[in-house]
Structures are given as C-alpha cells and as structure tokens.
Amino acid sequence: MISVEQAQEHILAHIGELDAEPVPLFEAVGRVLAEDIVAEHNIPPFRNSAMDGYAVRAADTDGASPERPILLRVVETVAAGTAPTAPVVPGTAARIMTGAPMPPGADAVVRFEETSEALPAERRPPGGHIAILRPVRPGDNVREAGEDVSVGQTALRRGQRLRAAEVGLLAALGRSRVTCVRRPRVGVLATGDELVGPEEPLTPGKIRNSNEYTNVALVRLAGGLPVPLGIARDNVKDLSAKLKLAVEAGVDLLITSAGVSVGDYDVVKHVLAAQGEVHFWQVAIKPGKPLAFGTLEVGGRPVPLLGLPGNPVAAFVAFEVFARPAIRKMAGLRPLFRRRFRARLQEDVTNSGRRHYMRARVWRDDASGQLHATTRGSGVRVQGSGILSSLVWANGFVIVPEQVTFIPAGEPVDVELFDWPEEVF
Ligand code: AMP
Ligand code: MG
C-alpha cells in the first residue's frame, strides 16, 4: 500500500503545464496568463483632471476664501476626449471636465463646488470670469500620467489567474487578446457492463452511470474542458476502442472509473497493461483504495491516464485528491491542493490505518468565528462509501490521518471544503 502523498507525487511528476494559446479578452476570465504583461503606455496615458472644475495655477489661488474670492479669466472649456488649445497663464483658468487633459501651465483643479459656479446667479462674477472660493495646492485633483501603471512596468505576470480586475487592466493596456495556458481537455470514460445512461430503462441488474456525470462536472470545476466519452463495456475490445477514440479526439488526460479493483471483470487493468505503462496501486485512502495511473500510448501519442475506483463516493474522493491537482497543474492553476482549515469535531470518530476522507458538513459559528464539523447527518448513512447522497449532504471532508485511530468530540480536526472557492480565504 502506498501513501496518498506518494501517489500524488508520482502522478504530478508525470503531469506538466500545457502549452499556451491566444484567448480573446472577453473569454479570458478564470484563465491563467502564459505571458508577462509589460505596459506599452502609461495609465492614465496623460495628465488629466480628477474632477469637474477649473484648471488653475495653484499659486493663483493662495488666500482665496468665500469672503475674499479670487477672480480668474476663463480661457476655454476642455471636455473629456478633447485636447486643450491654450495654456493657463497667471490670472487665468480653463473650465475642465473629469478625464480631460490638463492644459499646459495648470497644476491643480478647483472643483466646481469651490467656485462661484456654486453660488446664486447674483453673486457670480461677470461673464468670462470665475471666482475661486478656496485655495488649492499643486497636484490637487490632478491625475498624473502613469500614476496607475507606468510604461515599461510589468503590470501582470505569467501564472497569474485572470479575474475581472486583471481583464479590465489588460483592456486599459490595449490588449484585446492575451496568451493563456491551454485548458486541459479531459476525457471522461465510465466502464462497466451494469451501466445504463440516465434516459435508458433500468432493466434487472443495471444501475445508472452517475460517475461520468460527476466526473465531467468535477473536471469543469477543476479548470479543465471535459470530453464525455460514454460507457465502455467490461471487455477488452470495447474498452480498447473507446480509449483509442479518446486519444484520437486529442485529450490531454483520460479519467476512467471502475474496473481497477480485483473483480472478475475488471478488464481496465488488462487493457491498460497492454496499451501503455500503467501502475495499479493500493492507496492508503478511505474510501477509494484501488487507483490506476500511467501513460497510455495510442498511435505513438502518450496520454496520461488516471483510473478511479467505481464506487461513486470513492471516485469522488479520488478525483478530489488525485485528479483535481493534476488538472490544475496542467492548467497552470495554483495552489494545486485545497487549503485545509481546522474545525472542531462534533462527535467521536474512529479510523483504521488509512487516511479517511469523511463526508462532513462544516460551518462557522458567527459569535466565535470558530469552524465546526460534523460527520453525521440525520436521515443519511453518511459514511457508507457507496452513498452518493452523503456527498449531496456534505460540503467538505474531515480528514483523519492514517495513524490516528480515534478522535474524541471537541478536538480540532483538518477539514477541506469543496463548496467554497479558494479565493474566498
Ligand atoms: P468496480 O470497480 O467495477 O468493481 O465497481 C465498483 C462499484 O461501483 C460497483 O458497485 C459498480 O456498479 C459501481 N459503479 C461503477 N461504475 C459506475 C458508474 N459509472 N456510476 C455509478 N456506479 C458505478
Ligand atoms: Mg465493474
């Protein structure tokens, strides 16, 4: 039996970040940058007004007050999107709108509210003049060229995940396409003679293929592009054909479910052994002990393959623990692993020799800020390893280390949450 870490290390050692591709900026949110972004121009590109008001020479406003206003001659109005035509010389001002370029000579902006524009008509100066009611200092209400991002600066770095803010910054820097890490195409195949699709009749002995759907959903949440491959029957011919099709479809990773344990019809083993170099492990994890990993070689093209157990809960846990980090690594996403938190356990738990990923509900007590976790739902057999509804009930795992046999209620335990995105914390 190998440890969870040994299996993870082996898998990740055989997985690399994918190549890059151009992505239109409108589609770039959530993607990972594959290039450094160096600013080719300043943001803002020019010195401009941060307010609607009057561009002035600050020295001209010294001592201004509502009682002793200072009168300036208005040379022009500068709207956003236009260029000033005259300098502001001593004794003059330019009416200016937010975002309009500062005229040469002006070094500050007096807001409308601090000029005679805020006064009743009878208290305003004669046409062509403005009265300043408060002094400004040089730089007041002015945005300097490059004060946000300066030309030549590395504004974003390779490896950064693009959020809405990064997308906006890229647009501000004049980019409508960016180079991102390619999203991994992940083929998802179910195996088993007992499986029928959700729309087929449930004839005797059959169950529905849920794993393919869960896995497709999990691939998407992990940052991959799922390629559903349907069901392969438990025979060498069908399985080989389906795997071949998948590789020809250009998948970057293959995820199968079932057929990796010791049952009579677990043919995945035989096919994989014949078509590539695949290892079958017993991992010290519960649920989900049997796991396959290796490289499938079809038509000279090697594709990594991860064979998850068939049991729906075991498959889910194995996906979380082994497939998700692999997909994130291919996609250039960090961190690879879910963050762990400490939560107070609500009841005693026992364990025997393997790392137990117990389905749990985790919540935070608002008064204390403390996280709590329970592994027991009322009305659900929460820890049965075939109980899919236990995952519906759960929002995370309590992780009991392999060497720990008993944890009493009230003790802190490690939890991982699969509902909450990493970014929240
Ligand atoms: P196996 O690994 O083939 O022995 O399968 C273990 C258990 O998982 C069996 O009870 C299977 O019926 C079940 N199982 C296998 N594949 C699926 C699937 N795609 N959806 C739901 N259950 C499955
Ligand atoms: Mg089977």
Side-chain angles (χ1 to χ4, degrees), residues 314-397:
F316 185 99
V317 170
F319 190 106
E320 274 288 313
V321 176
F322 302 111
R324 184 177 178 275
I327 293 169
R328 286 177 69 84
K329 185 170 184 187
M330 285 180 152
L333 291 161
R334 291 289 184 282
L336 296 184
F337 301 106
R338 286 205 194 271
R339 188 168 160 190
R340 287 198 182 170
F341 299 91
R342 298 285 276 174
R344 197 161 293 280
L345 189 62
Q346 294 298 291
E347 61 280 317
D348 294 355
V349 300
T350 56
N351 188 33
S352 53
R354 289 188 274 157
R355 187 174 308 173
H356 196 176
Y357 283 74
M358 302 185 80
R359 271 71 72 215
R361 279 202 72 85
V362 180
W363 71 97
R364 192 172 57 199
D365 175 61
D366 282 341
S368 64
Q370 166 85 53
L371 290 182
H372 296 269
T374 181
T375 57
R376 279 186 209 142
S378 55
V380 252
R381 263 193 59 215
V382 171
Q383 302 308 330
S385 69
I387 308 288
L388 196 46
S389 56
S390 73
L391 285 169
V392 174
W393 168 83
N395 66 352
F397 297 120

Coordinates of all heavy atoms in Angstrom, one line a residue, residues 314-397:
A314 N -16.1 6.8 -3.6 CA -14.7 6.6 -3.7 C -14.2 7.3 -5.0 O -13.1 7.9 -4.9 CB -14.4 5.1 -3.9
A315 N -14.9 7.3 -6.0 CA -14.5 8.0 -7.3 C -14.4 9.5 -7.0 O -13.4 10.2 -7.4 CB -15.5 7.7 -8.4
F316 N -15.4 10.0 -6.3 CA -15.4 11.5 -6.0 C -14.2 11.8 -5.1 O -13.5 12.8 -5.4 CB -16.7 11.8 -5.2 CG -16.9 13.3 -5.0 CD1 -17.7 14.0 -5.8 CD2 -16.3 13.9 -3.9 CE1 -18.0 15.4 -5.5 CE2 -16.5 15.2 -3.6 CZ -17.3 16.0 -4.5
V317 N -13.9 11.1 -4.1 CA -12.8 11.4 -3.2 C -11.5 11.3 -4.0 O -10.6 12.1 -3.9 CB -12.8 10.4 -2.0 CG1 -11.5 10.5 -1.2 CG2 -14.0 10.7 -1.1
A318 N -11.4 10.2 -4.8 CA -10.1 10.0 -5.6 C -10.0 11.1 -6.6 O -8.9 11.6 -6.9 CB -10.1 8.7 -6.3
F319 N -11.1 11.6 -7.2 CA -11.0 12.8 -8.1 C -10.4 14.0 -7.4 O -9.5 14.6 -7.8 CB -12.3 13.1 -8.7 CG -12.2 14.1 -9.8 CD1 -12.4 13.7 -11.1 CD2 -12.0 15.4 -9.6 CE1 -12.3 14.6 -12.2 CE2 -11.8 16.3 -10.6 CZ -12.0 15.9 -11.9
E320 N -11.0 14.3 -6.2 CA -10.6 15.4 -5.4 C -9.1 15.4 -5.1 O -8.4 16.4 -5.2 CB -11.4 15.5 -4.1 CG -12.8 16.2 -4.3 CD -12.6 17.7 -4.4 OE1 -11.8 18.3 -3.6 OE2 -13.2 18.3 -5.3
V321 N -8.7 14.2 -4.7 CA -7.4 14.1 -4.1 C -6.3 13.9 -5.2 O -5.2 14.4 -5.0 CB -7.3 12.9 -3.1 CG1 -5.9 12.7 -2.5 CG2 -8.3 13.2 -1.9
F322 N -6.7 13.2 -6.3 CA -5.6 12.9 -7.3 C -5.9 13.6 -8.6 O -4.9 14.1 -9.3 CB -5.6 11.4 -7.5 CG -5.3 10.6 -6.2 CD1 -6.2 9.8 -5.6 CD2 -4.0 10.8 -5.6 CE1 -5.9 9.2 -4.4 CE2 -3.7 10.1 -4.4 CZ -4.7 9.3 -3.9
A323 N -7.1 13.7 -9.1 CA -7.3 14.2 -10.4 C -7.3 15.7 -10.4 O -6.8 16.4 -11.3 CB -8.7 13.7 -11.0
R324 N -8.0 16.3 -9.4 CA -8.0 17.8 -9.4 C -6.7 18.4 -9.4 O -6.4 19.4 -10.2 CB -8.9 18.2 -8.2 CG -9.1 19.7 -8.1 CD -10.0 20.0 -6.9 NE -10.2 21.4 -6.7 CZ -9.4 22.2 -6.1 NH1 -8.3 21.8 -5.5 NH2 -9.7 23.5 -6.0
P325 N -5.7 18.0 -8.5 CA -4.4 18.7 -8.6 C -3.7 18.5 -9.9 O -3.0 19.4 -10.4 CB -3.6 18.0 -7.5 CG -4.6 17.3 -6.6 CD -5.8 17.0 -7.4
A326 N -4.0 17.3 -10.6 CA -3.3 17.1 -11.9 C -3.9 18.0 -12.9 O -3.1 18.6 -13.7 CB -3.5 15.6 -12.3
I327 N -5.2 18.2 -12.9 CA -5.8 19.1 -13.9 C -5.4 20.5 -13.6 O -5.1 21.3 -14.6 CB -7.4 19.0 -13.8 CG1 -7.8 17.6 -14.3 CG2 -8.0 20.1 -14.6 CD1 -9.2 17.3 -14.0
R328 N -5.3 20.9 -12.4 CA -4.9 22.3 -12.0 C -3.4 22.5 -12.5 O -3.1 23.6 -12.9 CB -5.1 22.6 -10.5 CG -6.5 22.8 -10.2 CD -6.7 23.0 -8.7 NE -6.2 24.3 -8.2 CZ -6.9 25.4 -8.3 NH1 -8.1 25.5 -8.8 NH2 -6.3 26.5 -7.8
K329 N -2.6 21.5 -12.3 CA -1.2 21.6 -12.7 C -1.1 21.8 -14.2 O -0.4 22.7 -14.7 CB -0.4 20.4 -12.3 CG 1.1 20.6 -12.6 CD 2.0 19.6 -12.0 CE 3.5 19.9 -12.3 NZ 4.4 18.8 -11.9
M330 N -1.9 21.0 -15.0 CA -1.9 21.2 -16.5 C -2.4 22.6 -16.8 O -1.9 23.2 -17.8 CB -2.9 20.2 -17.1 CG -2.4 18.8 -17.1 SD -3.6 17.7 -17.9 CE -2.5 16.5 -18.5
A331 N -3.4 23.1 -16.1 CA -4.0 24.4 -16.4 C -3.2 25.6 -15.9 O -3.6 26.7 -16.2 CB -5.4 24.4 -15.9
G332 N -2.1 25.3 -15.2 CA -1.3 26.4 -14.6 C -1.9 27.0 -13.4 O -1.5 28.1 -13.0
L333 N -2.9 26.4 -12.8 CA -3.6 27.0 -11.7 C -2.9 26.6 -10.4 O -2.3 25.5 -10.2 CB -5.0 26.4 -11.6 CG -6.0 26.9 -12.7 CD1 -7.2 26.0 -12.8 CD2 -6.4 28.4 -12.4
R334 N -2.8 27.6 -9.5 CA -2.2 27.4 -8.1 C -3.2 27.9 -7.1 O -3.9 28.8 -7.4 CB -0.9 28.1 -8.0 CG 0.2 27.6 -8.9 CD 0.7 26.3 -8.4 NE 1.8 25.8 -9.1 CZ 1.7 25.2 -10.3 NH1 0.5 25.0 -10.9 NH2 2.8 24.8 -11.0
P335 N -3.2 27.3 -5.9 CA -2.5 26.2 -5.4 C -3.0 24.9 -6.0 O -4.2 24.9 -6.4 CB -2.6 26.2 -3.9 CG -4.0 26.9 -3.7 CD -4.1 27.9 -4.8
L336 N -2.2 23.9 -6.0 CA -2.7 22.6 -6.6 C -3.7 21.9 -5.6 O -4.6 21.3 -6.1 CB -1.5 21.7 -6.8 CG -0.5 22.1 -7.9 CD1 0.5 21.0 -8.1 CD2 -1.2 22.4 -9.2
F337 N -3.4 22.1 -4.4 CA -4.3 21.4 -3.4 C -5.2 22.3 -2.7 O -4.9 23.5 -2.6 CB -3.4 20.7 -2.3 CG -2.4 19.7 -3.0 CD1 -1.1 20.0 -3.1 CD2 -2.9 18.5 -3.5 CE1 -0.2 19.1 -3.7 CE2 -2.1 17.6 -4.1 CZ -0.7 17.9 -4.2
R338 N -6.3 21.8 -2.2 CA -7.2 22.6 -1.4 C -6.6 23.0 -0.1 O -5.8 22.2 0.5 CB -8.5 21.8 -1.1 CG -9.3 21.6 -2.4 CD -10.8 21.4 -1.9 NE -11.6 21.0 -3.0 CZ -12.2 21.8 -3.9 NH1 -12.1 23.1 -3.8 NH2 -12.9 21.3 -4.9
R339 N -7.0 24.2 0.3 CA -6.5 24.7 1.6 C -7.2 23.9 2.7 O -8.4 23.5 2.6 CB -6.8 26.1 1.7 CG -6.2 26.8 2.8 CD -6.3 28.3 2.8 NE -6.1 28.8 4.1 CZ -6.3 30.0 4.5 NH1 -6.7 30.9 3.6 NH2 -6.1 30.4 5.7
R340 N -6.4 23.6 3.8 CA -7.1 23.0 4.9 C -7.3 24.0 6.0 O -6.6 24.9 6.2 CB -6.1 21.9 5.4 CG -6.1 20.7 4.5 CD -5.6 19.5 5.2 NE -5.5 18.4 4.3 CZ -4.9 17.3 4.5 NH1 -4.3 17.1 5.6 NH2 -4.9 16.3 3.6
F341 N -8.4 23.7 6.7 CA -8.8 24.5 7.9 C -8.9 23.6 9.1 O -9.0 22.4 8.9 CB -10.1 25.2 7.6 CG -10.1 26.1 6.5 CD1 -10.5 25.7 5.2 CD2 -9.7 27.5 6.6 CE1 -10.4 26.5 4.1 CE2 -9.7 28.3 5.5 CZ -10.1 27.8 4.3
R342 N -8.8 24.2 10.3 CA -9.1 23.4 11.5 C -10.5 23.7 11.9 O -10.9 24.8 12.0 CB -8.1 23.8 12.6 CG -6.6 23.6 12.2 CD -6.3 22.2 12.2 NE -5.9 21.7 13.6 CZ -5.6 20.5 13.9 NH1 -5.7 19.5 13.0 NH2 -5.3 20.2 15.1
A343 N -11.2 22.6 12.2 CA -12.6 22.8 12.7 C -12.7 21.9 13.9 O -12.0 20.9 14.1 CB -13.6 22.4 11.6
R344 N -13.7 22.3 14.8 CA -14.0 21.5 16.0 C -14.9 20.4 15.7 O -16.0 20.6 15.1 CB -14.5 22.4 17.1 CG -14.5 21.9 18.5 CD -14.6 23.0 19.5 NE -13.4 23.9 19.4 CZ -12.3 23.7 20.0 NH1 -12.0 22.5 20.7 NH2 -11.3 24.5 19.9
L345 N -14.5 19.2 16.0 CA -15.3 18.0 15.7 C -16.5 17.8 16.6 O -16.3 18.0 17.8 CB -14.4 16.7 15.8 CG -14.9 15.4 15.3 CD1 -15.2 15.4 13.8 CD2 -13.8 14.3 15.6
Q346 N -17.6 17.5 16.1 CA -18.8 17.5 16.9 C -19.1 16.1 17.6 O -19.8 16.1 18.5 CB -20.1 17.8 16.0 CG -20.1 19.1 15.5 CD -20.2 20.2 16.6 OE1 -21.2 20.3 17.3 NE2 -19.1 20.9 16.8
E347 N -18.4 15.1 17.1 CA -18.7 13.8 17.7 C -17.4 12.9 17.6 O -16.5 13.2 16.8 CB -19.8 13.1 17.0 CG -19.6 12.8 15.5 CD -19.9 14.0 14.6 OE1 -20.9 14.7 14.9 OE2 -19.1 14.2 13.7
D348 N -17.3 11.8 18.4 CA -16.2 10.9 18.3 C -16.1 10.3 16.9 O -17.1 10.0 16.3 CB -16.3 9.7 19.3 CG -16.3 10.2 20.7 OD1 -16.1 11.4 21.0 OD2 -16.6 9.3 21.6
V349 N -14.9 10.1 16.4 CA -14.7 9.3 15.2 C -13.6 8.3 15.4 O -12.7 8.5 16.1 CB -14.4 10.2 13.9 CG1 -15.5 11.2 13.6 CG2 -13.1 10.9 14.0
T350 N -13.7 7.2 14.7 CA -12.7 6.1 14.7 C -12.2 5.9 13.3 O -12.8 6.3 12.4 CB -13.3 4.8 15.3 OG1 -14.4 4.4 14.4 CG2 -13.7 4.9 16.7
N351 N -11.0 5.3 13.3 CA -10.3 5.1 12.0 C -9.4 3.9 12.1 O -9.0 3.6 13.2 CB -9.6 6.4 11.6 CG -9.0 6.3 10.2 OD1 -9.6 5.7 9.3 ND2 -7.8 6.9 10.0
S352 N -9.1 3.3 10.9 CA -8.3 2.1 11.0 C -7.3 2.1 9.8 O -7.5 1.5 8.8 CB -9.1 0.9 10.9 OG -10.0 0.9 9.8
G353 N -6.1 2.8 10.0 CA -5.0 2.6 9.1 C -4.9 3.3 7.8 O -3.8 3.4 7.2
R354 N -6.0 3.8 7.3 CA -5.9 4.5 6.0 C -6.4 6.0 6.3 O -7.0 6.3 7.3 CB -6.9 3.9 5.0 CG -6.4 2.6 4.5 CD -7.2 2.1 3.3 NE -8.4 1.4 3.7 CZ -9.5 1.2 2.9 NH1 -9.5 1.8 1.7 NH2 -10.5 0.5 3.4
R355 N -6.0 6.9 5.4 CA -6.4 8.3 5.6 C -7.9 8.4 5.2 O -8.3 8.1 4.1 CB -5.6 9.2 4.8 CG -6.0 10.7 5.1 CD -5.1 11.6 4.4 NE -3.7 11.3 4.6 CZ -2.7 11.9 4.0 NH1 -2.9 12.9 3.1 NH2 -1.4 11.5 4.3
H356 N -8.7 8.7 6.2 CA -10.1 8.7 6.0 C -10.7 10.1 5.6 O -10.5 11.0 6.3 CB -10.8 8.2 7.2 CG -12.3 7.8 7.0 ND1 -13.1 7.2 8.0 CD2 -13.0 7.8 5.9 CE1 -14.2 6.9 7.5 NE2 -14.3 7.3 6.2
Y357 N -11.2 10.2 4.4 CA -11.9 11.4 4.0 C -13.3 11.2 4.3 O -14.1 10.6 3.5 CB -11.7 11.6 2.4 CG -10.3 12.2 2.1 CD1 -9.2 11.3 2.2 CD2 -10.1 13.5 1.8 CE1 -7.9 11.8 1.9 CE2 -8.9 14.0 1.5 CZ -7.8 13.2 1.6 OH -6.5 13.7 1.3
M358 N -13.7 11.7 5.5 CA -15.1 11.6 5.9 C -15.9 12.7 5.4 O -15.6 13.9 5.5 CB -15.1 11.6 7.5 CG -14.3 10.5 8.1 SD -14.5 10.5 9.9 CE -16.0 9.6 10.1
R359 N -17.1 12.3 4.8 CA -18.0 13.4 4.4 C -18.4 14.2 5.6 O -18.8 13.6 6.6 CB -19.2 12.8 3.7 CG -19.0 12.6 2.2 CD -18.0 11.4 1.9 NE -18.6 10.2 2.2 CZ -18.0 9.1 2.6 NH1 -16.7 9.2 2.9 NH2 -18.6 8.0 2.8
A360 N -18.5 15.5 5.5 CA -18.7 16.3 6.6 C -19.5 17.5 6.2 O -19.5 18.0 5.0 CB -17.4 16.7 7.2
R361 N -20.2 18.1 7.2 CA -20.7 19.4 7.0 C -19.9 20.4 7.9 O -19.7 20.1 9.1 CB -22.2 19.5 7.3 CG -23.1 19.1 6.2 CD -24.5 19.6 6.3 NE -24.5 21.0 6.0 CZ -24.6 21.6 4.7 NH1 -24.7 20.7 3.7 NH2 -24.6 22.8 4.6
V362 N -19.4 21.4 7.3 CA -18.6 22.4 8.1 C -19.3 23.7 8.1 O -19.9 24.1 7.1 CB -17.2 22.5 7.4 CG1 -16.3 23.5 8.1 CG2 -16.5 21.1 7.2
W363 N -19.3 24.3 9.3 CA -19.9 25.6 9.3 C -19.2 26.5 10.3 O -18.4 26.0 11.1 CB -21.4 25.5 9.7 CG -21.6 25.1 11.2 CD1 -21.9 26.0 12.2 CD2 -21.6 23.8 11.7 NE1 -22.0 25.2 13.4 CE2 -21.9 23.9 13.1 CE3 -21.4 22.5 11.2 CZ2 -21.9 22.8 13.9 CZ3 -21.5 21.4 12.0 CH2 -21.7 21.6 13.4
R364 N -19.4 27.8 10.2 CA -18.7 28.7 11.1 C -19.7 29.3 12.1 O -20.8 29.8 11.7 CB -18.0 29.8 10.4 CG -17.0 30.6 11.2 CD -16.2 31.5 10.5 NE -17.1 32.4 9.7 CZ -16.6 33.1 8.7 NH1 -15.4 33.0 8.3 NH2 -17.5 33.9 8.0
D365 N -19.4 29.2 13.4 CA -20.2 29.9 14.4 C -19.9 31.4 14.3 O -18.8 31.8 14.5 CB -19.8 29.3 15.7 CG -20.5 30.0 16.9 OD1 -21.8 29.9 16.9 OD2 -19.9 30.6 17.7
D366 N -21.0 32.1 14.1 CA -20.8 33.6 13.9 C -20.2 34.3 15.1 O -19.4 35.2 15.0 CB -22.1 34.2 13.4 CG -22.3 34.0 11.9 OD1 -21.3 33.6 11.2 OD2 -23.5 34.1 11.5
A367 N -20.7 33.8 16.3 CA -20.3 34.5 17.5 C -18.8 34.3 17.8 O -18.1 35.3 18.0 CB -21.1 34.0 18.7
S368 N -18.3 33.1 17.6 CA -16.9 32.9 18.0 C -16.0 32.9 16.8 O -14.7 33.0 16.9 CB -16.8 31.5 18.6 OG -17.1 30.5 17.7
G369 N -16.5 32.8 15.6 CA -15.7 32.7 14.4 C -15.1 31.3 14.1 O -14.4 31.1 13.2
Q370 N -15.4 30.4 15.1 CA -14.8 29.1 15.0 C -15.5 28.2 14.0 O -16.7 28.2 13.9 CB -15.0 28.5 16.5 CG -14.8 27.1 16.7 CD -13.3 26.7 16.9 OE1 -12.6 27.3 17.8 NE2 -12.8 25.8 16.1
L371 N -14.7 27.4 13.3 CA -15.3 26.4 12.4 C -15.7 25.1 13.2 O -14.9 24.7 14.1 CB -14.3 26.0 11.3 CG -14.0 27.0 10.2 CD1 -13.0 26.4 9.2 CD2 -15.3 27.6 9.5
H372 N -16.8 24.5 12.8 CA -17.2 23.3 13.4 C -17.5 22.3 12.2 O -17.8 22.7 11.1 CB -18.5 23.5 14.1 CG -18.4 24.4 15.3 ND1 -18.1 23.9 16.6 CD2 -18.5 25.7 15.4 CE1 -18.0 24.9 17.4 NE2 -18.2 26.0 16.7
A373 N -17.3 21.0 12.6 CA -17.6 20.0 11.5 C -18.3 18.8 12.2 O -18.0 18.4 13.3 CB -16.3 19.5 11.0
T374 N -19.3 18.3 11.4 CA -20.0 17.1 11.8 C -19.9 16.1 10.7 O -19.9 16.4 9.5 CB -21.4 17.3 12.2 OG1 -22.0 16.0 12.6 CG2 -22.3 17.8 11.1
T375 N -19.7 14.8 11.1 CA -19.6 13.7 10.1 C -20.9 12.9 10.1 O -20.9 11.8 9.5 CB -18.4 12.8 10.5 OG1 -18.6 12.3 11.8 CG2 -17.1 13.6 10.4
R376 N -21.9 13.3 10.8 CA -23.1 12.6 10.9 C -24.3 13.4 10.6 O -24.6 14.4 11.2 CB -23.4 12.1 12.4 CG -22.6 10.8 12.6 CD -22.9 10.3 14.0 NE -21.7 9.6 14.4 CZ -21.3 9.6 15.7 NH1 -21.9 10.2 16.6 NH2 -20.2 9.0 16.0
G377 N -25.0 13.0 9.5 CA -26.3 13.7 9.2 C -27.4 12.9 9.8 O -27.3 11.7 10.0
S378 N -28.5 13.6 10.0 CA -29.7 12.8 10.4 C -30.4 12.3 9.2 O -30.6 13.1 8.2 CB -30.6 13.6 11.3 OG -31.0 14.8 10.7
G379 N -30.8 11.1 9.1 CA -31.5 10.6 8.0 C -30.7 10.2 6.8 O -31.2 9.8 5.8
V380 N -29.3 10.3 6.9 CA -28.5 9.8 5.8 C -27.4 8.9 6.4 O -26.9 9.2 7.5 CB -27.7 10.9 5.0 CG1 -28.2 11.1 3.7 CG2 -27.6 12.2 5.8
R381 N -27.1 7.8 5.7 CA -26.0 7.0 6.1 C -24.7 7.7 5.6 O -24.2 7.3 4.6 CB -26.1 5.6 5.5 CG -26.8 4.6 6.4 CD -26.6 3.2 5.9 NE -25.2 2.9 5.7 CZ -24.7 2.1 4.7 NH1 -25.5 1.7 3.8 NH2 -23.4 1.8 4.7
V382 N -24.2 8.6 6.4 CA -23.2 9.5 5.8 C -21.9 8.8 5.4 O -21.4 9.1 4.3 CB -22.9 10.6 6.8 CG1 -21.7 11.4 6.3 CG2 -24.1 11.5 6.9
Q383 N -21.4 7.9 6.2 CA -20.1 7.4 5.9 C -20.1 6.1 5.0 O -19.0 5.5 4.8 CB -19.2 7.2 7.1 CG -19.1 8.6 7.9 CD -18.6 9.7 7.0 OE1 -17.9 9.5 6.0 NE2 -19.0 10.9 7.4
G384 N -21.2 5.6 4.6 CA -21.2 4.5 3.7 C -20.5 4.9 2.4 O -20.9 5.9 1.8
S385 N -19.6 4.0 1.9 CA -18.8 4.5 0.8 C -19.5 4.4 -0.6 O -19.0 4.9 -1.6 CB -17.5 3.7 0.7 OG -17.7 2.4 0.3
G386 N -20.7 3.9 -0.6 CA -21.5 3.9 -1.9 C -22.6 4.9 -1.8 O -23.5 4.9 -2.7
I387 N -22.7 5.7 -0.8 CA -23.9 6.5 -0.6 C -23.6 7.9 -1.2 O -23.1 8.8 -0.6 CB -24.1 6.7 1.0 CG1 -24.2 5.3 1.7 CG2 -25.4 7.5 1.2 CD1 -25.5 4.5 1.4
L388 N -24.1 8.0 -2.4 CA -23.9 9.2 -3.2 C -24.6 10.4 -2.5 O -24.1 11.5 -2.6 CB -24.5 9.0 -4.6 CG -24.1 10.0 -5.7 CD1 -22.6 10.2 -5.7 CD2 -24.5 9.4 -7.1
S389 N -25.8 10.1 -1.9 CA -26.5 11.3 -1.2 C -25.7 11.8 -0.1 O -25.9 13.0 0.4 CB -27.9 10.8 -0.8 OG -27.8 9.7 0.1
S390 N -24.7 11.1 0.4 CA -23.8 11.6 1.5 C -23.0 12.8 1.0 O -22.7 13.7 1.7 CB -22.9 10.5 2.1 OG -21.9 10.2 1.2
L391 N -22.7 12.8 -0.3 CA -21.9 13.9 -0.9 C -22.8 15.1 -1.1 O -22.4 16.2 -1.1 CB -21.3 13.4 -2.2 CG -20.1 12.5 -2.1 CD1 -19.7 11.9 -3.4 CD2 -18.9 13.3 -1.5
V392 N -24.1 14.8 -1.4 CA -25.1 15.9 -1.5 C -25.3 16.6 -0.2 O -25.3 17.8 -0.2 CB -26.4 15.3 -2.1 CG1 -27.5 16.4 -2.1 CG2 -26.2 14.7 -3.5
W393 N -25.2 15.8 0.8 CA -25.4 16.4 2.2 C -24.1 17.2 2.6 O -24.2 18.2 3.2 CB -25.6 15.2 3.2 CG -25.5 15.6 4.6 CD1 -26.5 16.1 5.4 CD2 -24.3 15.4 5.4 NE1 -26.0 16.3 6.7 CE2 -24.7 15.9 6.7 CE3 -23.1 14.9 5.2 CZ2 -23.8 15.9 7.8 CZ3 -22.2 14.9 6.3 CH2 -22.5 15.4 7.6
A394 N -23.0 16.7 2.1 CA -21.7 17.2 2.7 C -21.3 18.5 1.9 O -21.7 18.8 0.8 CB -20.6 16.2 2.5
N395 N -20.5 19.3 2.6 CA -19.8 20.5 1.9 C -18.3 20.4 2.1 O -17.6 21.3 1.7 CB -20.4 21.8 2.4 CG -20.0 22.1 3.9 OD1 -19.5 21.2 4.6 ND2 -20.3 23.3 4.3
G396 N -17.8 19.3 2.6 CA -16.4 19.1 2.7 C -16.0 17.8 3.3 O -16.9 16.9 3.5
F397 N -14.8 17.6 3.6 CA -14.3 16.4 4.3 C -13.6 16.7 5.6 O -13.0 17.8 5.7 CB -13.2 15.8 3.4 CG -13.6 15.3 2.1 CD1 -13.0 15.9 0.9 CD2 -14.6 14.4 1.9 CE1 -13.3 15.5 -0.3 CE2 -14.9 14.0 0.6 CZ -14.3 14.5 -0.5

